[in-house]
Amino acid sequence: MNTEETTLDKIRSRPRFKMFTHLTKEEYAENLKKYLSEHKDEFSGNINKEVATICVETEYDSYWKPRLSLRIEIEDEKTAIRGVFDPVPQCGRSLCFSIFPSLFSG
């Protein structure tokens, strides 16, 4: 039996990536902080040498607001950056609270 994979099958709801850099964890964190300070009208976030959370600043604070979560680790004497794109937590909570009551109202 052959299965075919369409473009829609390849799209993940929370896209992930992993990359390596020659920078140390501290240098990478400093570079991210510098970038955020230079582009504070476009991005906001919290960064330390272990994790980083970067949000896209939009004029609309509605249903979907993308966020990039990064984990900075040492792997085989290299700095590995693992990232995942997801919505801000308020998105899921507001969706839950808007749908949940309608399930029980007759």
Side-chain angles (χ1 to χ4, degrees):
M1 176 178 187
N2 290 337
T3 58
E4 291 184 51
E5 188 174 57
T6 66
T7 303
L8 288 177
D9 294 328
K10 295 178 185 177
I11 298 174
R12 296 181 71 158
S13 61
R14 296 176 71 195
R16 300 167 191 270
F17 66 88
K18 178 180 177 181
M19 61 186 211
F20 293 90
T21 181
H22 65 280
L23 300 173
T24 65
K25 292 165 77 169
E26 292 79 10
E27 291 171 332
Y28 187 75
E30 286 305 313
N31 284 349
L32 279 177
K33 287 178 185 178
K34 181 180 174 188
Y35 185 86
L36 280 184
S37 68
E38 292 172 355
H39 297 89
K40 57 182 147 194
D41 55 328
E42 298 173 74
F43 304 102
S44 64
N46 296 315
I47 298 166
N48 65 43
K49 65 179 186 173
E50 300 288 328
V51 294
T53 304
I54 301 170
C55 296
V56 176
E57 291 298 317
T58 63
E59 60 184 83
Y60 309 105
D61 216 11
S62 59
Y63 176 70
W64 172 261
K65 189 171 183 178
R67 177 179 72 173
L68 172 61
S69 300
L70 299 171
R71 177 164 294 286
I72 307 159
E73 304 169 334
I74 300 296
E75 224 177 80
D76 298 329
E77 298 182 22
K78 294 181 187 172
T79 304
I81 296 103
R82 297 174 188 269
V84 61
F85 290 95
D86 56 1
V88 293
Q90 295 85 350
C91 172
R93 247 183 269 137
S94 62
L95 183 64
C96 177
F97 287 119
S98 65
I99 292 174
F100 189 71
S102 66
L103 295 174
F104 296 103
S105 61

